[in-house]
Amino acid sequence: MSTITKSPKESFTIMNELVLPNDTNPLNNLMGGRLLHWMDIAAAISAQKHCNNIVVTASVDNVSFRHAIKLGDVITIEAKVTRAFSTSMEVRLDVWAENIPSGTRVRSNDAFYTFVALNKEGKPISVPEIEPETDTEKKLFDGALRRRQLRLILAGKMKAHDATELKALFLNQTEL
């Protein structure tokens, strides 16, 4: 891990997109794949701002679609690094859909993306640590290790019995 420390606000990114006909399905709703593409871009920008290097997407957590996004809506994607590990970063995204003529704005999606920082040769490199400042940032930071362990288990890179943070959560034990 790098000795440099940054706050989550240094990686904060806002990206806006207008939903055009080419972005929609026959029901005039935004296609999910288009939204995931935009979310990936916003998350990558946030991760790059945090580590000042090239990043690649390592994983995307469950993305739930709570509200249909319609043709003509303006999408606002907010992204911020929640925690950094040795070479990877977790990025939280919140997606808002706004219908400007009606004045309505709803939160339609949220997700966590994971990125790995790479050097010019394409090899993973260390990233700065995160120092959360707000209560929300601290809560997201604390939960990031559990989310990371779950990702690693689902990817077959960690055995469930080695996921001490997850076991403590489910077994309500502090020492395992």
Side-chain angles (χ1 to χ4, degrees):
M1 184 76 76
S2 171
T3 57
I4 298 170
T5 302
K6 290 186 169 184
S7 75
K9 69 183 172 193
E10 293 179 75
S11 67
F12 185 63
T13 299
I14 298 175
M15 187 171 119
N16 292 298
E17 294 287 343
L18 175 63
V19 179
L20 298 171
N22 195 44
D23 303 321
T24 63
N25 62 25
L27 298 173
N28 285 329
N29 291 327
L30 176 64
M31 290 184 289
R34 179 80 72 202
L35 179 60
L36 292 173
H37 171 78
W38 291 338
M39 291 170 72
D40 192 44
I41 292 168
I45 292 168
S46 178
Q48 286 182 354
K49 286 170 75 171
H50 177 73
C51 69
N52 297 329
N53 280 290
I54 296 167
V55 298
V56 293
T57 310
S59 72
V60 177
D61 285 12
N62 179 45
V63 179
S64 297
F65 296 86
R66 295 189 187 113
H67 181 272
I69 300 170
K70 301 302 240 173
L71 175 65
D73 284 353
V74 173
I75 303 305
T76 300
I77 303 170
E78 298 175 352
K80 187 189 302 186
V81 174
T82 58
R83 187 157 183 173
F85 297 96
S86 56
T87 62
S88 67
M89 298 149 282
E90 179 188 80
V91 179
R92 165 67 181 217
L93 294 113
D94 291 300
V95 179
W96 301 87
E98 182 177 5
N99 181 285
I100 293 175
S102 72
T104 59
R105 185 176 193 251
V106 296
R107 188 164 141 197
S108 62
N109 304 78
D110 59 69
F112 291 97
Y113 279 51
T114 302
F115 287 84
V116 174
L118 303 177
N119 64 16
K120 291 179 183 178
E121 290 76 42
K123 303 289 183 200
I125 56 172
S126 295
V127 298
E129 295 181 26
I130 282 281
E131 183 65 39
E133 298 173 331
T134 68
D135 289 341
T136 300
E137 290 171 352
K138 289 174 185 174
K139 183 179 174 184
L140 289 168
F141 179 90
D142 290 342
L145 186 54
R146 290 187 296 273
R147 290 186 296 273
R148 181 175 192 257
Q149 287 182 349
L150 181 58
R151 286 181 203 111
L152 292 172
I153 290 168
L154 292 173
K157 296 179 181 179
M158 176 184 262
K159 300 288 184 199
H161 63 80
D162 293 330
T164 56
E165 291 291 318
L166 283 176
K167 286 185 352 188
L169 178 70
F170 287 108
L171 300 176
N172 200 17
Q173 297 177 0
T174 56
E175 188 174 320
L176 300 173

